[in-house]
Amino acid sequence: LLLEMSATQPVKKKPFKKTLYRGFEIDQLLEKNTEEILKIMNSRQRRRYAHGISNKYERLVKKIQASVKATPYGEKPKPVKTHLRNCIITPEMVGGVVECYG
């Protein structure tokens, strides 16, 4: 009975889900500068940026961007290992893979 039903109905593919953050798509967020993105974020993240972001977080973002650029289209990027568990995820980091040591 189950085989007959599956043979008659074609398998439907799931539609590609758009990734949104507070109503904005990734492309729209990448076009914005840091100040505009901070207006969208929660107060905790805004406060952290107001106190200043150290160089180690900027280096992490550059490593993630480099791994995404080095990856061919359609493949998963090489993971970037880090100790920075409390890093704020920014739109530039979306699409990269991060692993934590430990």
Side-chain angles (χ1 to χ4, degrees):
L1 183 67
L2 292 175
L3 294 173
E4 293 174 13
M5 291 176 64
S6 63
T8 58
Q9 296 176 353
V11 179
K12 292 183 181 178
K13 289 185 178 180
K14 289 185 178 180
F16 185 72
K17 185 178 178 184
K18 292 182 181 179
T19 307
L20 298 175
Y21 178 75
R22 306 219 175 214
F24 294 99
E25 292 185 24
I26 300 288
D27 299 333
Q28 294 172 337
L29 291 173
L30 287 171
E31 293 172 359
K32 295 179 183 251
N33 61 13
T34 308
E35 294 159 2
E36 293 172 339
I37 291 172
L38 287 178
K39 290 179 183 176
I40 301 169
M41 290 185 173
N42 292 332
S43 62
R44 186 44 129 177
Q45 286 85 11
R46 289 195 305 265
R47 184 180 170 97
R48 178 110 176 258
Y49 269 90
H51 287 285
I53 298 294
S54 64
N55 290 336
K56 55 188 174 182
Y57 295 102
E58 293 172 5
R59 282 195 308 260
L60 175 65
V61 171
K62 287 181 183 177
K63 284 182 183 179
I64 293 171
Q65 288 175 341
S67 72
V68 170
K69 280 186 180 179
T71 306
Y73 179 76
E75 292 186 18
K76 191 174 179 180
K78 183 179 175 186
V80 177
K81 288 193 171 187
T82 182
H83 289 288
L84 305 173
R85 294 172 185 249
N86 59 352
C87 184
I88 298 170
I89 306 300
T90 56
E92 304 94 43
M93 299 169 75
V94 174
V97 178
V98 179
E99 291 181 352
C100 291
Y101 287 108

